[in-house]
Amino acid sequence: MKKPATKTFTGSRIRHQRNRTGMTQSALAARLGISASYLNQIEHDVRPLPLPLLNALCDIFRVGVDYFSDTEETRGIQTLREIMADPVFDMQAVRLDSIQAAMRVAPDLCAQFIRLYRAYLLQQEHTATPLVGSSPPSRAGTLEAPDRVEPYEAVSDWVQAQRNYFDEVDRTAEHQFELMRLDDGSPAEQLARYLLDHHGIRTEVDLSLNHKGLMWRMDRRQRTLFLSRIVPSESSTFWMAQALGQIEHQDVFARTIRRSRLRESEARGLARVYLTNYFAGALLLPYERFRATAHEVRHDLERLQRHFGVSFEQACHRLSTMQRPGSEGIPFYFLKTDIAGNILKSFSANRFTQSRFGGPCPLWNIFRAFSTPLQVQVQMSQTTDGAVYLNIARTVGRSSISYLDRPRLTAVVLGCSIADAEHLVYSAGLDLKDPRMIIPIGPGCRACTRENCHHRALPMVGHRVDINNEGRGIAPYRTAQ
């Protein structure tokens, strides 16, 4: 029996894009080849959005198909639920359907509310831990509230809004790969030769870089790119690709940043760093070649590593960027954390969203990866919104070079919807339909709604705690009935 097509109601997002570009309803209707009254009905969710119009809207507004799905709405709802778990709010007074309606009708207002809450948290942190040598805040709380989002958070939001795909940068890198014929021999040797022949820049190893806390350094006066000696060869290759991007493609990065809403110089500087890294990854792993090979080897990360001469982390990150319109790969989320649970990188091309205001769930296989270094951990997990994912996790990073060396302990996790799991080699031997194989994970204990979790570390905020001493539950903190 044929499954009926899902009706897509996305009027608020169409209206948002139309207003953002300054386009009238009649002008957009004319470009779509429909009447203004029909478009008006779509924008007010009276009519669903037909598939042909969906593709046309993606072309007009230069967004991916997922923009008009419920993916962004789902992330926003999860973030608002976490915020409402803060004791400053009365969580019981706000129903889930009210949050859903707010995200659907007023997404921009919700985004500003999230921004305000971030500023509130930042103020709380400054109040609790004043800088050394500064005066403690007065009892009246005269410390001014931050008037901006932290630059790294602003850049992270921008990258996520683009689904971690930057078309002009990606195509520029792909063209550069073909121009240089980077697959002819060792990429490291090809890059070193290109930098010398085209820019007069030599590549040398500097034994002192590690003591200075640097991995590479460009000395333009000496026309030399200095590289650290303690890293794997694929990292040195990546840094040479970064240097090439900085030298030849600053104009591409600048145009991309101008199209963003980043206004502060620090945020724009961080965005340029990110795009330089993105270019390097796209140069070493050109889009169409990488997408075809990934499909051929069923997304086997070790095989992709060997084929392209990159690291495990670089292959994982590249898979999370494969969202070129008309040539999309599997939508993955990608996350990197240290052993303490600090999130170092986080991007998502699917509806998965990590906890924004709390720690990650300890049941996630990314934490188990630390107990089995360099071994792949595979897990089927279900988030509190009911979505099921196949997750692949492994530790990454360099090994120690001496007894006194303390390399950073990190791990990455790559995840896709269970609907795409059959296209991954990691699903081999798994019964994807067996619910017993699925591990429930949450957004962090304070916002997690799973009551009887053995791993709960904090009580669920917004609910009274059961203080009955005549029995002990599975979890140390039980919700009072």
Side-chain angles (χ1 to χ4, degrees):
M1 180 176 176
K2 186 177 180 180
K3 184 179 179 181
T6 302
K7 292 184 178 180
T8 303
F9 292 92
T10 182
S12 61
R13 271 162 276 183
I14 297 173
R15 193 162 53 249
H16 171 73
Q17 287 295 325
R18 182 170 58 76
N19 292 333
R20 182 184 65 83
T21 56
M23 193 180 300
T24 65
Q25 199 172 70
S26 58
L28 178 57
R31 291 192 63 176
L32 294 171
I34 61 176
S35 67
S37 60
Y38 183 30
L39 177 58
N40 184 63
Q41 290 178 320
I42 293 174
E43 286 196 3
H44 287 86
D45 290 334
V46 176
R47 296 280 192 92
L49 178 65
L51 181 59
L53 294 187
L54 171 63
N55 295 330
L57 286 167
C58 290
D59 291 337
I60 292 171
F61 295 129
R62 300 186 67 182
V63 296
V65 175
D66 279 350
Y67 176 83
F68 294 107
S69 72
D70 65 350
T71 300
E72 291 303 317
E73 189 174 300
T74 299
R75 290 199 189 96
I77 290 169
Q78 180 60 48
T79 301
L80 289 174
R81 288 181 67 186
E82 289 184 44
I83 291 174
M84 297 309 297
D86 192 300
V88 75
F89 300 108
D90 182 0
M91 189 176 186
Q92 292 178 314
V94 182
R95 293 163 52 93
L96 176 59
D97 55 0
S98 298
I99 295 176
Q100 292 169 334
M103 274 301 303
R104 185 167 55 251
V105 176
D108 288 341
L109 181 61
C110 291
Q112 292 304 312
F113 176 75
I114 294 170
R115 179 188 178 97
L116 177 64
Y117 182 73
R118 282 176 171 169
Y120 161 75
L121 286 185
L122 192 58
Q123 182 190 20
Q124 295 295 97
E125 291 175 6
H126 282 296
T127 304
T129 55
L131 296 175
V132 176
S134 64
S135 301
S138 69
R139 294 179 62 186
T142 57
L143 184 67
E144 294 183 2
D147 60 355
R148 64 187 178 97
V149 176
E150 287 290 283
Y152 70 90
E153 289 190 339
V155 174
S156 178
D157 288 347
W158 170 61
V159 172
Q160 183 57 64
Q162 302 299 315
R163 317 204 84 73
N164 198 22
Y165 176 74
F166 296 88
D167 191 72
E168 186 178 8
V169 178
D170 213 296
R171 292 182 187 275
T172 299
E174 190 172 34
H175 176 72
Q176 182 96 47
F177 178 95
E178 300 297 343
L179 182 70
M180 295 175 60
R181 302 182 66 179
L182 208 54
D183 57 336
D184 253 358
S186 163
E189 293 175 1
Q190 294 283 83
L191 281 164
R193 187 180 303 114
Y194 184 90
L195 288 170
L196 182 61
D197 293 347
H198 290 75
H199 301 285
I201 294 176
R202 295 177 294 109
T203 304
E204 292 186 4
V205 172
D206 185 344
L207 303 181
S208 67
L209 282 183
N210 187 46
H211 300 294
K212 299 175 183 177
L214 297 173
M215 293 291 100
W216 67 272
R217 179 177 65 87
M218 174 73 79
D219 189 323
R220 295 185 182 273
R221 180 175 297 179
Q222 296 185 39
R223 305 197 67 76
T224 303
L225 174 65
F226 293 103
L227 303 173
S228 172
R229 66 164 181 158
I230 66 170
V231 296
S233 59
E234 58 264 23
S235 296
S236 296
T237 306
F238 188 82
W239 296 332
M240 284 190 276
Q242 283 181 326
L244 178 58
Q246 286 189 6
I247 294 168
E248 292 195 356
H249 301 296
Q250 284 294 334
D251 56 334
V252 177
F253 303 156
R255 282 197 299 271
T256 303
I257 295 170
R258 278 198 299 270
R259 292 193 290 266
S260 74
R261 294 186 177 182
L262 302 172
R263 296 292 175 262
E264 297 182 1
S265 59
E266 189 174 350
R268 293 169 76 88
L270 288 174
R272 190 173 296 106
V273 171
Y274 177 81
L275 291 178
T276 303
N277 293 339
Y278 186 100
F279 171 86
L283 176 62
L284 299 176
L285 303 164
Y287 193 97
E288 290 298 347
R289 287 175 181 247
F290 184 72
R291 186 175 73 92
T293 305
H295 177 75
E296 180 184 338
V297 302
R298 299 188 65 213
H299 302 85
D300 188 320
L301 290 159
E302 283 88 354
R303 291 184 66 180
L304 289 171
Q305 272 188 270
R306 290 196 299 272
H307 184 90
F308 290 97
V310 296
S311 69
F312 188 89
E313 180 181 347
Q314 289 164 5
C316 286
H317 184 272
R318 187 55 169 152
L319 282 175
S320 75
T321 69
M322 309 303 285
Q323 294 302 302
R324 178 176 292 179
S327 188
E328 294 90 347
I330 291 177
F332 285 98
Y333 78 81
F334 168 81
L335 186 140
K336 181 179 181 180
T337 181
D338 65 16
I339 197 169
N342 297 306
I343 305 299
L344 309 178
K345 296 179 184 178
S346 178
F347 312 108
S348 179
N350 51 43
R351 65 185 292 178
F352 180 87
T353 178
Q354 57 126 345
S355 175
R356 300 293 295 271
F357 303 105
C361 180
L363 287 171
W364 215 358
N365 65 333
I366 192 170
F367 295 109
R368 180 164 294 184
F370 287 106
S371 64
T372 56
L374 301 181
Q375 293 183 24
V376 172
Q377 290 278 343
V378 179
Q379 177 191 63
M380 289 166 57
S381 66
Q382 184 175 42
T383 52
T384 51
D385 64 356
V388 180
Y389 299 90
L390 181 68
N391 308 316
I392 305 102
R394 205 200 79 171
T395 54
V396 295
R398 65 176 181 84
S399 57
S400 299
I401 60 171
S402 74
Y403 174 71
L404 299 176
D405 187 27
R406 298 293 184 270
R408 193 177 201 177
L409 296 174
T410 57
V412 296
V413 60
L414 189 73
C416 69
S417 168
I418 199 67
D420 295 313
E422 62 181 297
H423 302 295
L424 274 65
V425 67
Y426 303 100
S427 66
L430 294 179
D431 186 347
L432 300 179
K433 296 181 180 179
D434 187 349
R436 296 173 301 176
M437 298 291 294
I438 300 174
I439 305 298
I441 65 172
C445 291
R446 295 176 66 84
C448 185
T449 55
R450 292 192 171 97
E451 273 193 62
N452 297 322
C453 176
H454 293 257
H455 299 264
R456 178 172 288 281
L458 295 168
M460 192 189 317
V461 174
H463 298 269
R464 291 186 299 109
V465 176
D466 185 358
I467 57 174
N468 181 8
N469 289 322
E470 297 182 1
R472 172 65 188 265
I474 295 173
Y477 303 101
R478 287 177 51 81
T479 301
Q481 301 298 322

